[in-house]
Amino acid sequence: MFPKCWNFIIIISILLSLQLGDGQPFDYPTANLSTTWINSVSANHSVDFTDGSKVVWSANRNHPVKINATLQLTSGGDLVLRDADGTSVWSTNTRGRSVAGLNLTEEGNLVLFDRNNKVVWQSFDHPTDALVPGQKLVSGQKLTASASITNSTEGGLFSMFVNNEGLFAAVKANPPQIYYQQLVVGTKANKKASYAKFQNGSLALYIHSSEPRDPDSVITLPQISSAQYMKLGSDGHLRLYEWADGWKEVFDILTGYLGDCNYPTVCGKNGICSNGQCSCPTSVNASMNYFKPINGRQPNLGCSEITPLDCNASRYHNFLELEDMTYFTFNADITSTNMDSCKQACLGNCSCKAAIFRYGSNSSNGDCYLPAQIFSLMNNEQDKTHYNSSVFMKVQITPNASAPAKTSPKDHD
Ligand SMILES: *[C@@H]1O[C@H](CO)[C@@H](O)[C@H](O)[C@H]1NC(C)=O
Ligand SMILES: *[C@@H]1O[C@H](CO)[C@@H](O)[C@H](O)[C@H]1NC(C)=O
Ligand SMILES: *[C@@H]1O[C@H](CO)[C@@H](O)[C@H](O)[C@H]1NC(C)=O
Ligand SMILES: *[C@@H]1O[C@H](CO)[C@@H](O)[C@H](O)[C@H]1NC(C)=O
Ligand SMILES: *[C@@H]1O[C@H](CO)[C@@H](O)[C@H](O)[C@H]1NC(C)=O
Ligand SMILES: *[C@@H]1O[C@H](CO)[C@@H](O)[C@H](O)[C@H]1NC(C)=O
Ligand SMILES: *[C@@H]1O[C@H](CO)[C@@H](O)[C@H](O)[C@H]1NC(C)=O
Ligand SMILES: *[C@@H]1O[C@H](CO)[C@@H](O)[C@H](O)[C@H]1NC(C)=O
Ligand SMILES: *[C@@H]1O[C@H](CO)[C@@H](O)[C@H](O)[C@H]1NC(C)=O
Ligand SMILES: *[C@@H]1O[C@H](CO)[C@@H](O)[C@H](O)[C@H]1NC(C)=O
Ligand SMILES: *[C@@H]1O[C@H](CO)[C@@H](O)[C@H](O)[C@H]1NC(C)=O
Ligand SMILES: *[C@@H]1O[C@H](CO)[C@@H](O)[C@H](O)[C@H]1NC(C)=O
């Protein structure tokens, strides 16, 4: 639930909230040009969230406005949000595009339409972190998770998007690291934009095909019996909620057979996830530690380096070997290689934070990934992954200290 002060803040940020009153008719706002709404506790269409309303879309997400802010559908057809002091903070920029009026549709789409009832602008084209039934996530758009459960400001860490290859969820890094993908094979022949559509019972991917044809692929969801929405959470989960005397989570859409450990921040940076428990990387030998919990009481916050990596002292770089460990994403930087070449390549590149080596049964013929940023790691359950995997975390050794277990110090300049 939102703290009290948000009630007004969010409402005037043009709030669309899904609501399912028992038999209560919902009053969907419509407006002609030159209409102004003022943000106040008693404003029409104001929602206080005590009825279970949830925010599924908001404009101006990052700069909430105050009491007495105004939302105006101008005579020129622009929808403008001004803060209490009159400064314009958001607009649809639809002036001069023959807007005739505004509707909030039953689906939850805020629409500016022209004299022919054609859509000029719609909130469905500007998704925030949620989708409602009937809504599409089109190639070029993305869902961006909020900073936290109580703070709807864009966190920027997790996003979901569709492109010509499928549906993806990524965590922000340079380059972004993909933690979920639903790929559609083949090459795209049509020129139509690819999209995912939230339908009754599925999230349908239209990549090579488009409606009314069948989707290329579907993610099966529980069927809609009352009302639903899905939201990309600040932890990277895409959850499906359904109304049944209150909103209930009915499905965790991106969680696959690797479970919660496959989420990038489940154990924070450098943390290890094992059966839902978090710990910090330790050397096999335990004579020397390179990572410590950021907060001993909250192991899920991750681990920090005891001695930060220093590129100017790369001769004192070495590896902490984590056997049978894997990572939620893998982009082979080097293919058909062995463990040693993989490690050498990481030592030779200051941006590399770990060497991740995967192979089947021939350890001389594996793939090597050299990520520049490390989120949570997880134990490699071979029966599920069907590969061997080791992670070598790059660490800074002090000149006098002995090398981590299983590796020998090497000079690198
Ligand atoms: C908008 O204008 C039309 C035509 O003048 C009128 O019938 C309708 O009631 C107006 N709607 C609102 C919400 O004011
Ligand atoms: C609320 O809506 C009603 C009916 O549409 C209207 O008569 C009233 O003036 C509105 N109140 C405010 C504060 O806008
Ligand atoms: C909002 O505007 C009204 C009327 O101008 C004023 O009385 C009230 O103090 C303002 N509220 C806030 C919180 O600024
Ligand atoms: C807007 O709402 C009015 C009244 O509900 C409806 O007649 C009209 O078709 C709607 N227009 C659009 C573009 O949804
Ligand atoms: C919400 O999160 C943003 C981004 O992390 C932060 O800048 C802002 O201070 C937070 N707001 C509140 C009320 O905590
Ligand atoms: C969704 O599909 C199921 C099964 O076909 C049906 O019972 C249900 O009424 C549908 N829900 C909506 C909101 O159309
Ligand atoms: C590394 O060396 C460069 C150039 O000698 C210097 O500018 C930089 O400050 C050094 N960085 C650190 C962390 O010592
Ligand atoms: C892992 O490697 C060993 C030999 O090093 C091999 O016997 C085993 O089959 C491999 N596991 C998988 C899942 O490929
Ligand atoms: C393992 O892979 C290497 C490199 O590709 C190859 O030379 C070697 O023959 C392979 N060994 C086996 C047992 O297949
Ligand atoms: C070093 O690694 C970074 C990130 O992994 C990569 O972008 C860059 O091209 C690499 N540099 C060299 C010289 O290989
Ligand atoms: C490393 O060894 C030298 C000489 O034995 C000593 O003076 C220095 O304090 C040691 N440094 C660390 C970090 O232990
Ligand atoms: C652990 O370190 C000790 C002392 O540095 C060494 O004698 C021992 O062989 C190491 N054990 C392993 C498994 O590397």
Side-chain angles (χ1 to χ4, degrees):
M1 282 276 79
F2 291 95
K4 195 79 182 157
C5 64
W6 277 88
N7 299 357
F8 327 112
I9 294 167
I10 297 182
I11 285 142
I12 199 75
S13 315
I14 315 178
L15 160 86
L16 302 187
S17 63
L18 268 183
Q19 192 193 34
L20 219 85
D22 292 318
Q24 278 176 359
F26 192 85
D27 168 27
Y28 292 101
T30 64
N32 290 332
L33 297 183
S34 304
T35 303
T36 302
W37 295 266
I38 300 173
N39 188 25
S40 74
V41 190
S42 57
N44 278 346
H45 308 296
S46 110
V47 177
D48 66 7
F49 297 101
T50 54
D51 59 357
S53 291
K54 297 287 180 192
V55 178
V56 292
W57 182 78
S58 69
N60 186 46
R61 192 175 168 195
N62 297 336
H63 307 98
V65 294
K66 303 182 186 73
I67 289 283
N68 284 344
T70 61
L71 178 65
Q72 187 178 30
L73 181 58
T74 68
S75 57
D78 205 3
L79 186 63
V80 184
L81 176 65
R82 290 179 198 281
D83 209 344
D85 63 3
T87 51
S88 167
V89 293
W90 177 86
S91 137
T92 52
N93 292 316
T94 45
R95 197 186 157 80
R97 291 179 58 194
S98 310
V99 170
L102 167 154
N103 272 4
L104 175 57
T105 71
E106 201 162 339
E107 280 180 316
N109 192 7
L110 184 68
V111 177
L112 298 184
F113 53 88
D114 65 14
R115 235 171 290 282
N116 303 319
N117 251 355
K118 269 186 60 186
V119 172
V120 175
W121 181 96
Q122 55 181 345
S123 62
F124 271 16
D125 290 339
H126 306 270
T128 50
D129 60 354
L131 294 176
V132 295
Q135 190 170 358
K136 295 174 186 174
L137 182 65
V138 183
S139 169
Q141 304 171 349
K142 65 180 179 183
L143 298 183
T144 314
S146 294
S148 72
I149 293 171
T150 50
N151 182 343
S152 67
T153 300
E154 245 175 296
L157 197 55
F158 293 105
S159 63
M160 266 197 82
F161 56 90
V162 170
N163 64 23
N164 291 346
E165 281 150 25
L167 175 72
F168 300 86
V171 62
K172 187 178 182 178
N174 188 16
Q177 296 179 4
I178 305 287
Y179 65 96
Y180 173 88
Q181 54 185 13
Q182 175 82 14
L183 293 171
V184 171
V185 293
T187 30
K188 189 174 173 72
N190 72 6
K191 291 213 167 67
K192 297 222 173 86
S194 302
Y195 60 92
K197 188 176 184 187
F198 182 3
Q199 297 176 331
N200 183 5
S202 70
L203 184 59
L205 300 190
Y206 294 90
I207 308 295
H208 308 313
S209 84
S210 57
E211 289 162 293
R213 287 175 55 200
D214 286 339
D216 299 297
S217 172
V218 296
I219 298 164
T220 304
L221 306 175
Q223 280 169 345
I224 305 178
S225 49
S226 61
Q228 289 184 344
Y229 70 94
M230 60 175 75
K231 186 172 227 157
L232 183 64
S234 52
D235 56 1
H237 288 248
L238 180 70
R239 295 186 176 87
L240 181 67
Y241 298 91
E242 182 155 70
W243 179 268
D245 224 7
W247 288 105
K248 306 248 157 52
E249 179 186 334
V250 290
F251 197 51
D252 193 353
I253 302 170
L254 309 182
T255 303
Y257 59 94
L258 292 178
D260 280 353
C261 286
N262 200 47
Y263 286 91
T265 56
V266 60
C267 286
K269 284 184 181 162
N270 303 315
I272 295 172
C273 180
S274 172
N275 298 319
Q277 300 280 314
C278 298
S279 60
C280 289
T282 48
S283 79
V284 181
N285 203 320
S287 64
M288 178 81 193
N289 273 332
Y290 295 92
F291 294 92
K292 60 167 193 282
I294 287 170
N295 179 336
R297 293 180 181 201
Q298 287 176 277
N300 59 331
L301 293 182
C303 311
S304 59
E305 297 154 329
I306 288 169
T307 310
L309 286 173
D310 179 358
C311 285
N312 287 355
S314 61
R315 68 163 67 216
Y316 299 118
H317 284 174
N318 214 314
F319 291 111
L320 174 58
E321 174 172 357
L322 304 171
E323 260 179 54
D324 250 330
M325 196 70 68
T326 190
Y327 195 56
F328 61 84
T329 199
F330 192 88
N331 292 308
D333 288 304
I334 313 169
T335 55
S336 303
T337 189
N338 59 35
M339 201 177 276
D340 217 47
S341 311
C342 183
K343 287 158 69 178
Q344 291 306 321
C346 186
L347 281 181
N349 185 337
C350 183
S351 322
C352 177
K353 294 292 183 292
I356 304 180
F357 183 70
R358 277 187 189 176
Y359 66 97
S361 52
N362 182 353
S363 64
S364 308
N365 189 2
D367 290 336
C368 175
Y369 173 38
L370 307 170
Q373 203 172 333
I374 288 286
F375 293 93
S376 299
L377 300 156
M378 66 184 131
N379 276 350
N380 181 37
E381 298 177 57
Q382 282 195 23
D383 52 330
K384 290 181 182 166
T385 62
H386 306 294
Y387 53 70
N388 281 287
S389 174
S390 291
V391 173
F392 300 87
M393 303 282 282
K394 194 188 268 180
V395 293
Q396 191 78 37
I397 56 170
T398 46
N400 299 1
S402 55
K406 295 204 169 190
T407 49
S408 53
K410 283 204 172 75
D411 278 3
H412 273 271
D413 290 288

